[in-house]
Amino acid sequence: QRKNPFSNDERLAAKPVHSHRGDPSYGRPPEGSKTEQRGKDAHSHVGKEVEELCRIIRSTGEKGEDGHVSVTFRQLFETYVTISNKVVGILLRARKHGLVHFEGEMLWQGKDDDVIITLL
């Protein structure tokens, strides 16, 4: 529509052209848009959940000889499930940010109950 010579719609002419790979704005919402704000709000919310997870590990876990606090997945799941049913997703996010360590790619209730989660 932008290249249509018969179109007089000003909204189409003013609309920015999509960015291409390599462009810093590629894959990002336009600055100042509601989509950008929703993304920022979601990022902030997840950050708060990660902080809460770390606080729960600190309060329910035991400090090891190395000074790090550790808890089993079972203990964490039983404590955290009353707060949120997204404990595994939040654990993955916390690991991505270098806040916790555990073996394996994913944790499954029952199968991975004895996996140790360490707060870094």
Side-chain angles (χ1 to χ4, degrees):
Q1 284 293 326
R2 197 179 341 273
K3 295 180 183 180
N4 184 343
F6 302 107
S7 177
N8 287 332
D9 193 341
E10 294 298 320
R11 293 175 300 145
L12 294 174
K15 196 172 184 180
V17 177
H18 292 289
S19 56
H20 299 283
R21 285 184 190 223
D23 185 343
S25 65
Y26 179 76
R28 299 199 176 269
E31 283 190 42
S33 69
K34 289 182 180 180
T35 302
E36 180 189 41
Q37 186 58 48
R38 282 190 295 268
K40 287 179 180 180
D41 292 346
H43 183 74
S44 174
H45 177 74
V46 170
K48 289 175 185 172
E49 288 216 27
V50 168
E51 288 175 16
E52 176 73 5
L53 175 80
C54 292
R55 189 186 63 71
I56 290 170
I57 292 172
R58 208 173 287 113
S59 67
T60 60
E62 296 180 16
K63 190 176 263 190
E65 292 178 13
D66 60 358
H68 293 293
V69 177
S70 297
V71 65
T72 65
F73 180 58
R74 178 187 299 125
Q75 291 170 312
L76 181 62
F77 191 87
E78 288 172 356
T79 304
Y80 198 80
V81 77
T82 60
I83 298 163
S84 171
N85 62 353
K86 303 173 283 210
V87 66
V88 174
I90 300 300
L91 270 171
L92 293 172
R93 180 62 66 107
R95 179 169 65 180
K96 179 180 176 183
H97 290 285
L99 300 172
V100 298
H101 172 76
F102 56 89
E103 295 297 323
E105 290 297 313
M106 182 67 96
L107 296 174
W108 302 98
Q109 188 180 12
K111 177 181 157 251
D112 295 317
D113 282 351
D114 297 325
V115 171
I116 303 293
I117 299 164
T118 304
L119 188 61
L120 303 176

